[in-house]
Amino acid sequence: MDLFEMNYEEERRSIQPLSERFRPLTLDDIAGQQHLLGKGKLLRSLIEQDRVTSMILQGPPSSGKTTIATVISLLTKAHFVKLNAVSLTVAELRNVFARALDEQKLYGQNTIVFIDEIHAMKSNVQEALLPVVENGTIVLMGATTESIAHDIIPPLASRCRIYRLETLSENDIKKVITKALADEERGLGKLKVKLEPEALDYVADICNGDIRNALNALENAVYSLTESDTVTLATVQEVYQFRTNAVTTSDVYNLTSAFCKSIRGSHSDAAVYWLARLLESGVDPIYIVRRMVVHASEDIGMANPHALQIALAAKDAVQFVGMPEARIPLAQAVIYLCESPKSNSAYKAIAKALDTVRSTRAYPVPDNIKDGSKSYINPIDNPGSRVQYMPEELQGLELYKPQNSGVEAKIYAKRQPSQR
């Protein structure tokens, strides 16, 4: 590297955001992810032995996916190609594959293809990866914040090892920030700035595990100082006013799961909390209320049939009133569902009925209940009359079993012992 290139490199580094400039260069520098990169862990061993296989790194934003890829590019002998899936085409991929094949034939060198935001690739573009991953032309490294099951085609996922990264803890964030303040080469050490403990606690908490966001906020806070060499709590609060709360597809599924399970478990406080998390994260209220309608029948059902009406009323309120006011009828409906007695007898009944239909032949409708049947006897006008409702082959099949809960307790009592 000549003098001109050295000057250019220093200039480029000086204008880079702190989060990029301070990106880890070794495995030991990477914050968190000890379940993957701790001493003796599989992924670390593969990297250290230069035997990396195709993988997809899945995890929340700024948890280290791109950082791990960068470190691998520095530690392995493979040719490293970095791509972004957003605008990637099959033609571009084929050019990469052709070059990778040449590298193997001419120099015996493997090629690692890192594709960021791999979930954004269309299905046909993902399919183009299948043969070259299968035959080893490339080693694929994908990075995604989204759900592997919903956004990556199954054949591609099956050819890759899935590594799930965890959200960085507050202690992880604090360690990185402290190092960045002290590092004179790539951090802010030359500025000799101090950070109040309360300010450090605040940034580590409010960033919600997003180290990139935390470092950028720290940099802004440091450069905003004019008459002091100490970053105070007030300084970072001014710079960092809002909690990082964006959610990925996986987050939405997990939050929704927690919301639904809290309703099922009759835990009103938890259900309202998860409702607030979903709303604050920008999830469509109609999506939320759809889940409420389902669980009004699935988990409450015959124990309180009015729950379905309440859930549908919440849907009407959301559409009629709109947000943010609709949060109130939503919360009311959620609490009503939580506090209602529970029964999943309707859910079990239709599940067993569908299983019966799928596992047996299509039996004919009994003659006495066919359309226009002359042998049909109206049981309302003729109490105690005998009518055959089930096919002969399914006589005695019991699909609906009432539970001793809420309103359904009356049906349960009436059927003791079973009168069918």
Side-chain angles (χ1 to χ4, degrees), residues 135 152 213 232 332 399 406:
N135 64 27
I152 306 299
N213 209 298
T232 65
Q332 178 185 352
L399 300 176

Side-chain angles (χ1 to χ4, degrees), residues 148-160:
I148 300 292
H150 290 83
D151 296 291
I152 306 299
I153 61 173
L156 183 58
S158 72
R159 287 165 169 79
C160 301

Side-chain angles (χ1 to χ4, degrees), residues 23-27 29 67 70-71 74-75 186:
R23 190 181 290 278
L25 301 177
T26 70
L27 291 173
D29 290 338
T67 294
T70 302
V71 171
L74 297 173
L75 298 183
R186 296 187 299 126

Side-chain angles (χ1 to χ4, degrees), residues 56 110 129 175 206 300 345 374 395 398 407:
I56 297 177
N110 289 333
L129 292 166
K175 288 177 183 177
I206 201 171
I300 299 167
S345 60
K374 304 255 191 246
Q395 290 296 315
E398 188 175 32
V407 174

Side-chain angles (χ1 to χ4, degrees), residues 99-306:
R99 183 177 174 185
L101 201 55
D102 288 342
E103 294 285 342
Q104 275 188 348
K105 290 179 178 178
L106 298 176
Y107 309 109
Q109 186 178 33
N110 289 333
T111 296
I112 295 175
V113 178
F114 174 66
I115 302 180
D116 203 6
E117 312 293 344
I118 194 170
H119 59 271
M121 294 175 69
K122 295 179 180 178
S123 296
N124 66 308
V125 184
Q126 290 189 40
E127 287 170 357
L129 292 166
L130 298 179
V132 292
V133 171
E134 180 78 29
N135 64 27
T137 299
I138 67 166
V139 173
L140 173 66
M141 282 190 65
T144 180
T145 57
E146 307 303 321
S147 167
I148 300 292
H150 290 83
D151 296 291
I152 306 299
I153 61 173
L156 183 58
S158 72
R159 287 165 169 79
C160 301
R161 185 174 180 89
I162 310 300
Y163 295 103
R164 287 187 167 83
L165 280 67
E166 299 173 349
T167 301
L168 297 184
S169 68
E170 290 187 22
N171 281 336
D172 292 331
I173 300 292
K174 289 179 181 179
K175 288 177 183 177
V176 175
I177 289 176
T178 302
K179 287 181 180 179
L181 278 175
D183 191 299
E184 296 188 1
E185 183 179 350
R186 296 187 299 126
L188 302 170
K190 291 181 179 179
L191 300 177
K192 307 299 182 185
V193 172
K194 296 186 287 291
L195 183 67
E196 284 187 348
E198 296 83 0
L200 179 60
D201 292 341
Y202 179 82
V203 173
D205 170 57
I206 201 171
C207 75
N208 277 4
D210 189 332
I211 188 60
R212 182 187 299 110
N213 209 298
L215 287 172
N216 289 339
L218 173 68
E219 185 174 33
N220 288 333
V222 168
Y223 286 132
S224 72
L225 299 177
T226 55
E227 300 177 355
S228 172
D229 63 352
T230 301
V231 176
T232 65
L233 176 60
T235 306
V236 294
Q237 284 178 330
E238 184 178 356
V239 171
Y240 214 154
Q241 296 178 8
F242 301 103
R243 181 174 294 277
T244 305
N245 204 30
V247 292
T248 66
T249 304
S250 297
D251 294 331
V252 171
Y253 293 138
N254 288 331
L255 291 173
T256 303
S257 176
F259 174 65
C260 294
K261 288 180 172 67
S262 298
I263 292 176
R264 181 178 296 144
S266 300
H267 201 304
S268 295
D269 292 331
V272 173
Y273 169 77
W274 295 119
L275 169 67
R277 284 282 300 276
L278 287 163
L279 292 174
E280 191 66 15
S281 299
V283 175
D284 186 354
I286 291 296
Y287 168 83
I288 299 171
V289 85
R290 283 196 196 106
R291 304 314 309 160
M292 293 166 60
V293 170
V294 170
H295 284 276
S297 289
E298 180 179 346
D299 296 327
I300 299 167
M302 296 297 293
N304 181 8
H306 293 298

